[in-house]
């Protein structure tokens, strides 16, 4: 017998789980989340866990600013029986080049216009925040005290449990293999565990969102790109904020458990689905991290891993209905910052799907922004 749902959400990462919760909270019944592996098995469970409001585009900054407020009260709001471990130790974004510093000034102007309390600080002030920072050649830094990081597994678990309490069903280890379409309207999905009839389908497949859109013949302007990260042995607390150097392509935070989590981007990374870990990454991250934070040179690496960014052409998300497939929505293109904006991207998407007033103009995340005109490129991506 064919199963029936009101909404099928494909993808059990932070985006899919948060969307399921927001829909159920607004009274939508019969929601099913389909995840091909386990919840958080995609980029969400592999991410650097950073939550920052220091963005260059208004769109990313608004989503991040409003999501921070949600993270602050998430344990209570979702009645979570554990702790999402949201620690607001701030984000220190250091600048070693004049060009970057000029861009930071522009970014901070955007942030201030939105009430984000970022400060532009001197190398000496940066050193007071992170005493082991290399200030040789440092021009300045920006610091936002309410940025921080949270545990992605716990955040997803919190959304999952809250959504399940509201009646959402989760089918893990189940792949969506096709989308059923009739006269340009979605009528359901085909899965490895049978078909599900549904008139609304949300494609929250991150790096694989393009593959789902291919099933209805739509070419999504996204590409997957490997990013690698590592975790070290735990040591005594010595670094409160996440430190980012865009020039060194580095981000680095100390978790509440004492270990450091860090990663570097590789500008030459091919656009493909490879998630093998590499020796070259270890060398690269060791060089960049010890250049910016020399004290870390004696830390021992416990584990490295990689995951895929779902890159959009302007590094802003895509939240839109798929042309030629009425009822199919895409929430992807998070370009390396989908974890921190997920609480509010889920709200925005769900408001649009339900025909409610959106808390910010969702058109800024439309697909047709790519078909002409000038894109508002995000400059602050690691
Ligand atoms: P995902 O978490 O990728 O979830 C998509 C899910 O869809 C997966 O679980 C996958 O298994 C499932 N799926 C795919 N195809 C199918 C199918 N056919 N059927 C069923 N299920 C399917 N973001 C931040 O905000 N802060 C950070 O510090 C940060 N650091 C990062 C560091 C690294 C190394 C990486 C890789 C990413 C980082 N990100 C960060 C980005 C962030 O992880 C993602 O933007 C975010 O997790 C996207 O969530 P998602 O739910 O949209 O996608």
């Amino acid at each position: 017998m064919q199963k029936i749902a009101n909404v099928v959400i494909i993808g059990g990462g932070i985006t899919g789980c948060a969307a399921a919760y927001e829909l159920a909270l607004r009274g939508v019944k019969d929601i099913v989340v389909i995840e091909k592996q386990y919840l958080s098995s995609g980029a969400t469970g592999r991410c650097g866990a950073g939550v920052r409001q220091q963005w260059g585009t208004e769109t990313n900054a608004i989503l991040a600013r409003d999501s921070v407020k949600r993270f602050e009260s998430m344990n209570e709001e979702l009645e979570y029986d554990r702790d999402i471990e949201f620690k607001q130790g701030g984000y220190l974004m250091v600048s070693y080049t004049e060009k970057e510093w000029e861009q930071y000034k522009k970014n901070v102007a955007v942030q201030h216009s939105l009430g984000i309390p970022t400060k532009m600080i001197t190398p000496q002030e940066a050193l007071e925040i992170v005493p082991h920072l290399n200030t040789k050649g440092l021009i300045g830094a920006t610091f936002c005290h309410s940025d921080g990081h949270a545990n992605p597994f716990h955040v997803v678990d919190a959304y999952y449990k809250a959504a399940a309490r509201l009646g959402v069903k989760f089918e893990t280890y189940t792949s969506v293999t096709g989308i059923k379409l009739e006269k340009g309207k979605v009528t359901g999905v085909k899965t490895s565990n049978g078909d599900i009839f549904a008139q609304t389908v949300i494609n929250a497949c991150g790096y694989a969102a393009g593959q789902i859109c291919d099933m209805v013949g739509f070419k999504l302007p996204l590409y997957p790109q490997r990013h690698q990260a590592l975790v070290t042995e735990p040591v005594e607390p010595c670094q409160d904020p996440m430190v980012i150097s865009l020039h060194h392509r580095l981000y680095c935070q100390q978790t509440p458990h004492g270990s450091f989590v860090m990663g570097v981007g590789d500008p030459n990374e091919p656009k493909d689905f490879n998630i093998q870990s590499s020796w070259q990454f270890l060398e690269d991250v060791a060089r960049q991290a010890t250049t910016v934070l020399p004290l870390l040179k004696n830390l021992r690496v416990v584990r490295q891993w990689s995951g895929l960014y779902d890159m959009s052409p302007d590094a802003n998300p895509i939240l839109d209905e798929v042309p030629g497939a009425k009822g199919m929505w895409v929430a992807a293109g998070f370009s390396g910052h989908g974890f921190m904006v997920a609480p509010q991207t889920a709200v925005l998407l769900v408001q649009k799907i339900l025909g409610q007033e959106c808390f910010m103009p969702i058109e800024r995340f439309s697909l047709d922004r790519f078909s002409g005109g000038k894109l508002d490129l995000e400059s602050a991506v690691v």
Side-chain angles (χ1 to χ4, degrees):
M1 197 178 77
Q2 182 170 285
K3 293 182 263 187
I4 298 176
N6 264 327
V7 182
V8 168
I9 298 174
I10 316 170
I14 179 83
T15 306
C17 292
Y21 167 74
E22 297 295 346
L23 279 168
L25 188 67
R26 288 162 177 76
V28 178
K29 305 278 179 233
D30 299 322
I31 303 164
V32 182
V33 178
I34 309 288
E35 165 53 50
K36 75 173 175 186
Q37 285 185 286
Y38 53 90
L39 301 182
S40 295
S41 58
T44 302
R46 298 158 188 269
C47 82
V51 177
R52 73 167 137 125
Q53 302 154 92
Q54 296 184 60
W55 291 101
T57 55
E58 235 193 26
T59 38
N60 279 324
I62 294 173
L63 286 177
R65 177 198 65 189
D66 293 357
S67 292
V68 160
K69 293 195 179 72
R70 302 287 305 285
F71 280 114
E72 284 172 345
S73 57
M74 195 169 278
N75 284 325
E76 297 75 32
E77 183 194 337
L78 301 184
E79 296 178 30
Y80 191 38
D81 56 352
R82 299 175 76 184
D83 178 6
I84 65 155
E85 296 173 358
F86 185 45
K87 297 287 172 289
Q88 288 172 290
Y91 251 72
L92 185 71
M93 298 193 63
V94 292
S95 174
Y96 293 89
T97 72
E98 287 294 347
K99 190 172 169 221
E100 193 175 69
W101 190 233
E102 288 310 309
Q103 183 64 51
Y104 278 19
K105 287 183 194 165
K106 290 184 194 149
N107 294 359
V108 170
V110 170
Q111 293 153 26
H112 283 176
S113 73
L114 299 170
I116 297 168
T118 311
K119 286 186 178 152
M120 301 201 73
I121 59 175
T122 63
Q124 186 54 40
E125 288 168 325
L127 200 59
E128 283 161 22
I129 296 170
V130 176
H132 51 282
L133 181 68
N134 178 8
T135 52
K136 191 163 170 232
L138 184 67
I139 295 169
T142 64
F143 182 68
C144 179
H145 68 87
S146 52
D147 291 348
H149 46 81
N151 183 323
F153 294 100
H154 287 197
V155 173
V156 168
D157 189 43
Y159 273 119
Y160 155 69
K161 285 177 175 155
R165 279 197 303 274
L166 293 168
V168 177
K169 300 272 178 298
F170 288 80
E171 290 193 22
T172 52
Y173 297 97
T174 304
S175 288
V176 168
T177 54
I179 305 288
K180 290 161 163 262
L181 205 58
E182 274 174 33
K183 295 183 184 151
K185 280 185 170 177
V186 166
T187 57
V189 297
K190 297 178 185 177
T191 83
S192 53
N193 196 21
D195 294 355
I196 306 176
F197 175 86
Q199 288 183 333
T200 304
V201 172
I202 299 176
N203 171 2
C205 280
Y207 63 92
Q211 294 174 338
I212 301 293
C213 283
D214 285 349
M215 294 173 185
V216 294
F218 180 74
K219 181 87 195 100
L220 194 64
L222 280 192
Y223 61 90
Q225 192 174 52
R226 177 177 69 169
H227 276 256
Q228 304 193 56
L230 64 78
V231 61
T232 71
E233 62 184 346
V235 290
E236 287 298 310
C238 59
Q239 183 180 310
D240 274 343
M242 174 83 92
V243 175
I244 288 202
S245 171
L246 293 180
H247 175 65
H248 297 89
R249 303 170 274 110
L250 172 80
Y251 61 89
C252 175
Q253 54 129 324
Q254 188 173 24
T255 70
H257 311 282
S259 52
F260 276 80
V261 170
M262 63 186 83
V264 286
D266 177 354
N268 301 315
E269 195 66 61
K271 300 174 180 177
D272 63 26
F273 290 94
N274 173 28
I275 52 163
Q276 294 289 311
S277 295
S278 73
W279 283 108
Q280 196 201 331
F281 163 74
L282 277 183
E283 284 184 20
D284 199 15
V285 72
R287 193 179 319 107
Q288 306 293 33
T290 57
T291 300
V292 179
L293 303 159
L295 184 75
L296 305 191
K297 71 175 188 295
N298 293 324
L299 284 180
R300 282 184 288 251
V301 175
V302 173
R303 190 167 69 84
Q304 75 180 101
W305 67 90
S306 45
L308 295 167
Y309 277 17
D310 46 334
M311 295 299 299
S312 76
D314 58 0
N316 267 282
I318 297 170
L319 305 174
D320 205 351
E321 197 168 26
V322 177
K326 199 163 172 30
M328 179 163 157
W329 296 82
V330 61
F334 295 109
S335 308
H337 46 278
F339 173 65
M340 66 183 80
V341 295
Q344 287 304 101
T345 44
V347 169
L348 189 57
L349 179 75
V350 161
Q351 285 172 335
K352 178 68 182 176
I353 292 174
L354 298 180
Q356 298 173 350
E357 193 185 343
C358 292
F359 76 88
M360 69 182 284
I362 196 169
E363 294 69 31
R364 295 172 176 203
F365 303 104
S366 69
L367 277 160
D368 63 15
R369 72 185 192 266
F370 302 119
S371 55
K374 199 169 161 284
L375 291 176
D376 193 10
L377 289 180
E378 177 54 66
S379 61
V381 177
V382 182

PDB file of all heavy atoms in Angstrom, residues 55-56 58 61 102-116 118 120 142:
ATOM      1  N   TRP A  55      29.081  38.604   8.815  1.00  0.00           N
ATOM      2  CA  TRP A  55      28.984  38.327   7.396  1.00  0.00           C
ATOM      3  C   TRP A  55      29.028  39.619   6.606  1.00  0.00           C
ATOM      4  O   TRP A  55      28.800  40.690   7.165  1.00  0.00           O
ATOM      5  CB  TRP A  55      27.695  37.543   7.095  1.00  0.00           C
ATOM      6  CG  TRP A  55      27.790  36.167   7.663  1.00  0.00           C
ATOM      7  CD1 TRP A  55      27.233  35.720   8.814  1.00  0.00           C
ATOM      8  CD2 TRP A  55      28.553  35.085   7.137  1.00  0.00           C
ATOM      9  NE1 TRP A  55      27.592  34.410   9.034  1.00  0.00           N
ATOM     10  CE2 TRP A  55      28.400  33.998   8.024  1.00  0.00           C
ATOM     11  CE3 TRP A  55      29.353  34.913   6.003  1.00  0.00           C
ATOM     12  CZ2 TRP A  55      29.018  32.764   7.815  1.00  0.00           C
ATOM     13  CZ3 TRP A  55      29.960  33.680   5.787  1.00  0.00           C
ATOM     14  CH2 TRP A  55      29.792  32.622   6.688  1.00  0.00           C
ATOM     15  N   GLY A  56      29.292  39.487   5.310  1.00  0.00           N
ATOM     16  CA  GLY A  56      29.394  40.669   4.464  1.00  0.00           C
ATOM     17  C   GLY A  56      28.106  40.998   3.738  1.00  0.00           C
ATOM     18  O   GLY A  56      27.885  42.127   3.322  1.00  0.00           O
ATOM     19  N   GLU A  58      23.968  41.287   3.721  1.00  0.00           N
ATOM     20  CA  GLU A  58      22.860  41.496   4.649  1.00  0.00           C
ATOM     21  C   GLU A  58      22.072  40.210   4.869  1.00  0.00           C
ATOM     22  O   GLU A  58      21.659  39.899   5.985  1.00  0.00           O
ATOM     23  CB  GLU A  58      21.920  42.530   4.030  1.00  0.00           C
ATOM     24  CG  GLU A  58      21.656  43.690   4.901  1.00  0.00           C
ATOM     25  CD  GLU A  58      20.494  44.520   4.402  1.00  0.00           C
ATOM     26  OE1 GLU A  58      19.598  44.007   3.705  1.00  0.00           O
ATOM     27  OE2 GLU A  58      20.493  45.697   4.740  1.00  0.00           O
ATOM     28  N   ALA A  61      23.854  37.860   7.152  1.00  0.00           N
ATOM     29  CA  ALA A  61      23.949  38.464   8.488  1.00  0.00           C
ATOM     30  C   ALA A  61      22.603  38.425   9.217  1.00  0.00           C
ATOM     31  O   ALA A  61      22.560  38.145  10.424  1.00  0.00           O
ATOM     32  CB  ALA A  61      24.465  39.898   8.369  1.00  0.00           C
ATOM     33  N   GLU A 102      40.139  46.252   4.478  1.00  0.00           N
ATOM     34  CA  GLU A 102      39.164  47.141   3.831  1.00  0.00           C
ATOM     35  C   GLU A 102      37.810  46.431   3.696  1.00  0.00           C
ATOM     36  O   GLU A 102      36.751  47.014   3.929  1.00  0.00           O
ATOM     37  CB  GLU A 102      39.663  47.586   2.436  1.00  0.00           C
ATOM     38  CG  GLU A 102      40.807  48.590   2.492  1.00  0.00           C
ATOM     39  CD  GLU A 102      40.523  49.777   3.420  1.00  0.00           C
ATOM     40  OE1 GLU A 102      39.458  50.396   3.278  1.00  0.00           O
ATOM     41  OE2 GLU A 102      41.354  50.058   4.319  1.00  0.00           O
ATOM     42  N   GLN A 103      37.869  45.135   3.328  1.00  0.00           N
ATOM     43  CA  GLN A 103      36.622  44.368   3.203  1.00  0.00           C
ATOM     44  C   GLN A 103      35.949  44.210   4.570  1.00  0.00           C
ATOM     45  O   GLN A 103      34.731  44.314   4.699  1.00  0.00           O
ATOM     46  CB  GLN A 103      36.913  42.988   2.591  1.00  0.00           C
ATOM     47  CG  GLN A 103      35.667  42.147   2.344  1.00  0.00           C
ATOM     48  CD  GLN A 103      34.729  42.776   1.315  1.00  0.00           C
ATOM     49  OE1 GLN A 103      35.139  43.150   0.225  1.00  0.00           O
ATOM     50  NE2 GLN A 103      33.451  42.923   1.680  1.00  0.00           N
ATOM     51  N   TYR A 104      36.741  43.974   5.604  1.00  0.00           N
ATOM     52  CA  TYR A 104      36.186  43.826   6.960  1.00  0.00           C
ATOM     53  C   TYR A 104      35.445  45.089   7.373  1.00  0.00           C
ATOM     54  O   TYR A 104      34.394  45.025   8.017  1.00  0.00           O
ATOM     55  CB  TYR A 104      37.304  43.536   7.969  1.00  0.00           C
ATOM     56  CG  TYR A 104      37.747  42.095   8.049  1.00  0.00           C
ATOM     57  CD1 TYR A 104      37.469  41.201   7.032  1.00  0.00           C
ATOM     58  CD2 TYR A 104      38.462  41.630   9.148  1.00  0.00           C
ATOM     59  CE1 TYR A 104      37.896  39.883   7.102  1.00  0.00           C
ATOM     60  CE2 TYR A 104      38.896  40.309   9.226  1.00  0.00           C
ATOM     61  CZ  TYR A 104      38.614  39.451   8.195  1.00  0.00           C
ATOM     62  OH  TYR A 104      39.033  38.151   8.269  1.00  0.00           O
ATOM     63  N   LYS A 105      36.022  46.253   7.014  1.00  0.00           N
ATOM     64  CA  LYS A 105      35.356  47.523   7.369  1.00  0.00           C
ATOM     65  C   LYS A 105      33.967  47.575   6.732  1.00  0.00           C
ATOM     66  O   LYS A 105      32.988  47.978   7.368  1.00  0.00           O
ATOM     67  CB  LYS A 105      36.196  48.711   6.887  1.00  0.00           C
ATOM     68  CG  LYS A 105      37.448  48.947   7.707  1.00  0.00           C
ATOM     69  CD  LYS A 105      38.168  50.197   7.169  1.00  0.00           C
ATOM     70  CE  LYS A 105      39.576  50.274   7.712  1.00  0.00           C
ATOM     71  NZ  LYS A 105      40.417  51.219   6.980  1.00  0.00           N
ATOM     72  N   LYS A 106      33.903  47.161   5.462  1.00  0.00           N
ATOM     73  CA  LYS A 106      32.594  47.167   4.769  1.00  0.00           C
ATOM     74  C   LYS A 106      31.648  46.175   5.436  1.00  0.00           C
ATOM     75  O   LYS A 106      30.463  46.447   5.637  1.00  0.00           O
ATOM     76  CB  LYS A 106      32.774  46.786   3.296  1.00  0.00           C
ATOM     77  CG  LYS A 106      33.479  47.837   2.481  1.00  0.00           C
ATOM     78  CD  LYS A 106      33.519  47.425   1.016  1.00  0.00           C
ATOM     79  CE  LYS A 106      34.516  48.314   0.286  1.00  0.00           C
ATOM     80  NZ  LYS A 106      35.167  47.687  -0.814  1.00  0.00           N
ATOM     81  N   ASN A 107      32.179  45.002   5.772  1.00  0.00           N
ATOM     82  CA  ASN A 107      31.327  43.971   6.394  1.00  0.00           C
ATOM     83  C   ASN A 107      30.779  44.454   7.733  1.00  0.00           C
ATOM     84  O   ASN A 107      29.605  44.251   8.049  1.00  0.00           O
ATOM     85  CB  ASN A 107      32.110  42.675   6.611  1.00  0.00           C
ATOM     86  CG  ASN A 107      32.522  42.011   5.302  1.00  0.00           C
ATOM     87  OD1 ASN A 107      32.202  42.513   4.226  1.00  0.00           O
ATOM     88  ND2 ASN A 107      33.224  40.900   5.393  1.00  0.00           N
ATOM     89  N   VAL A 108      31.644  45.105   8.503  1.00  0.00           N
ATOM     90  CA  VAL A 108      31.216  45.568   9.833  1.00  0.00           C
ATOM     91  C   VAL A 108      30.144  46.656   9.687  1.00  0.00           C
ATOM     92  O   VAL A 108      29.197  46.721  10.483  1.00  0.00           O
ATOM     93  CB  VAL A 108      32.423  46.041  10.670  1.00  0.00           C
ATOM     94  CG1 VAL A 108      31.976  46.756  11.934  1.00  0.00           C
ATOM     95  CG2 VAL A 108      33.287  44.844  11.048  1.00  0.00           C
ATOM     96  N   ALA A 109      30.253  47.475   8.639  1.00  0.00           N
ATOM     97  CA  ALA A 109      29.209  48.491   8.407  1.00  0.00           C
ATOM     98  C   ALA A 109      27.862  47.799   8.175  1.00  0.00           C
ATOM     99  O   ALA A 109      26.817  48.226   8.711  1.00  0.00           O
ATOM    100  CB  ALA A 109      29.586  49.370   7.227  1.00  0.00           C
ATOM    101  N   VAL A 110      27.867  46.726   7.402  1.00  0.00           N
ATOM    102  CA  VAL A 110      26.621  45.960   7.177  1.00  0.00           C
ATOM    103  C   VAL A 110      26.113  45.413   8.512  1.00  0.00           C
ATOM    104  O   VAL A 110      24.924  45.528   8.849  1.00  0.00           O
ATOM    105  CB  VAL A 110      26.868  44.785   6.184  1.00  0.00           C
ATOM    106  CG1 VAL A 110      25.670  43.846   6.123  1.00  0.00           C
ATOM    107  CG2 VAL A 110      27.206  45.312   4.798  1.00  0.00           C
ATOM    108  N   GLN A 111      27.029  44.841   9.283  1.00  0.00           N
ATOM    109  CA  GLN A 111      26.631  44.235  10.572  1.00  0.00           C
ATOM    110  C   GLN A 111      26.061  45.293  11.511  1.00  0.00           C
ATOM    111  O   GLN A 111      25.024  45.078  12.144  1.00  0.00           O
ATOM    112  CB  GLN A 111      27.837  43.524  11.204  1.00  0.00           C
ATOM    113  CG  GLN A 111      28.292  42.304  10.409  1.00  0.00           C
ATOM    114  CD  GLN A 111      29.758  41.974  10.588  1.00  0.00           C
ATOM    115  OE1 GLN A 111      30.362  42.297  11.607  1.00  0.00           O
ATOM    116  NE2 GLN A 111      30.354  41.340   9.583  1.00  0.00           N
ATOM    117  N   HIS A 112      26.716  46.457  11.585  1.00  0.00           N
ATOM    118  CA  HIS A 112      26.216  47.514  12.471  1.00  0.00           C
ATOM    119  C   HIS A 112      24.841  47.996  12.033  1.00  0.00           C
ATOM    120  O   HIS A 112      23.983  48.291  12.865  1.00  0.00           O
ATOM    121  CB  HIS A 112      27.195  48.689  12.506  1.00  0.00           C
ATOM    122  CG  HIS A 112      28.399  48.392  13.359  1.00  0.00           C
ATOM    123  ND1 HIS A 112      29.466  49.250  13.480  1.00  0.00           N
ATOM    124  CD2 HIS A 112      28.716  47.327  14.138  1.00  0.00           C
ATOM    125  CE1 HIS A 112      30.371  48.729  14.292  1.00  0.00           C
ATOM    126  NE2 HIS A 112      29.937  47.553  14.694  1.00  0.00           N
ATOM    127  N   SER A 113      24.605  48.043  10.718  1.00  0.00           N
ATOM    128  CA  SER A 113      23.292  48.509  10.232  1.00  0.00           C
ATOM    129  C   SER A 113      22.187  47.542  10.665  1.00  0.00           C
ATOM    130  O   SER A 113      21.014  47.893  10.673  1.00  0.00           O
ATOM    131  CB  SER A 113      23.307  48.651   8.706  1.00  0.00           C
ATOM    132  OG  SER A 113      23.289  47.364   8.108  1.00  0.00           O
ATOM    133  N   LEU A 114      22.579  46.330  11.034  1.00  0.00           N
ATOM    134  CA  LEU A 114      21.597  45.314  11.466  1.00  0.00           C
ATOM    135  C   LEU A 114      21.637  45.094  12.979  1.00  0.00           C
ATOM    136  O   LEU A 114      21.034  44.152  13.489  1.00  0.00           O
ATOM    137  CB  LEU A 114      21.890  43.989  10.748  1.00  0.00           C
ATOM    138  CG  LEU A 114      21.804  44.047   9.217  1.00  0.00           C
ATOM    139  CD1 LEU A 114      22.351  42.767   8.592  1.00  0.00           C
ATOM    140  CD2 LEU A 114      20.362  44.273   8.776  1.00  0.00           C
ATOM    141  N   GLY A 115      22.388  45.931  13.661  1.00  0.00           N
ATOM    142  CA  GLY A 115      22.431  45.837  15.128  1.00  0.00           C
ATOM    143  C   GLY A 115      23.333  44.738  15.652  1.00  0.00           C
ATOM    144  O   GLY A 115      23.245  44.354  16.823  1.00  0.00           O
ATOM    145  N   ILE A 116      24.205  44.213  14.807  1.00  0.00           N
ATOM    146  CA  ILE A 116      25.151  43.171  15.261  1.00  0.00           C
ATOM    147  C   ILE A 116      26.341  43.871  15.923  1.00  0.00           C
ATOM    148  O   ILE A 116      26.972  44.741  15.310  1.00  0.00           O
ATOM    149  CB  ILE A 116      25.597  42.278  14.073  1.00  0.00           C
ATOM    150  CG1 ILE A 116      24.368  41.543  13.504  1.00  0.00           C
ATOM    151  CG2 ILE A 116      26.673  41.286  14.503  1.00  0.00           C
ATOM    152  CD1 ILE A 116      24.591  40.866  12.179  1.00  0.00           C
ATOM    153  N   THR A 118      29.484  43.925  16.470  1.00  0.00           N
ATOM    154  CA  THR A 118      30.894  43.636  16.160  1.00  0.00           C
ATOM    155  C   THR A 118      31.757  44.865  16.463  1.00  0.00           C
ATOM    156  O   THR A 118      31.345  45.993  16.184  1.00  0.00           O
ATOM    157  CB  THR A 118      31.045  43.295  14.659  1.00  0.00           C
ATOM    158  OG1 THR A 118      30.055  42.319  14.327  1.00  0.00           O
ATOM    159  CG2 THR A 118      32.428  42.763  14.339  1.00  0.00           C
ATOM    160  N   MET A 120      35.600  46.693  15.873  1.00  0.00           N
ATOM    161  CA  MET A 120      36.877  46.657  15.145  1.00  0.00           C
ATOM    162  C   MET A 120      37.953  46.943  16.188  1.00  0.00           C
ATOM    163  O   MET A 120      37.877  47.953  16.894  1.00  0.00           O
ATOM    164  CB  MET A 120      36.896  47.702  14.051  1.00  0.00           C
ATOM    165  CG  MET A 120      35.759  47.484  13.075  1.00  0.00           C
ATOM    166  SD  MET A 120      36.024  48.243  11.475  1.00  0.00           S
ATOM    167  CE  MET A 120      37.247  47.195  10.739  1.00  0.00           C
ATOM    168  N   THR A 142      38.288  41.915  13.940  1.00  0.00           N
ATOM    169  CA  THR A 142      36.908  42.243  14.329  1.00  0.00           C
ATOM    170  C   THR A 142      36.481  41.193  15.347  1.00  0.00           C
ATOM    171  O   THR A 142      36.888  40.028  15.264  1.00  0.00           O
ATOM    172  CB  THR A 142      35.955  42.254  13.117  1.00  0.00           C
ATOM    173  OG1 THR A 142      35.886  40.944  12.561  1.00  0.00           O
ATOM    174  CG2 THR A 142      36.424  43.234  12.051  1.00  0.00           C
TER     175      THR A 142
END
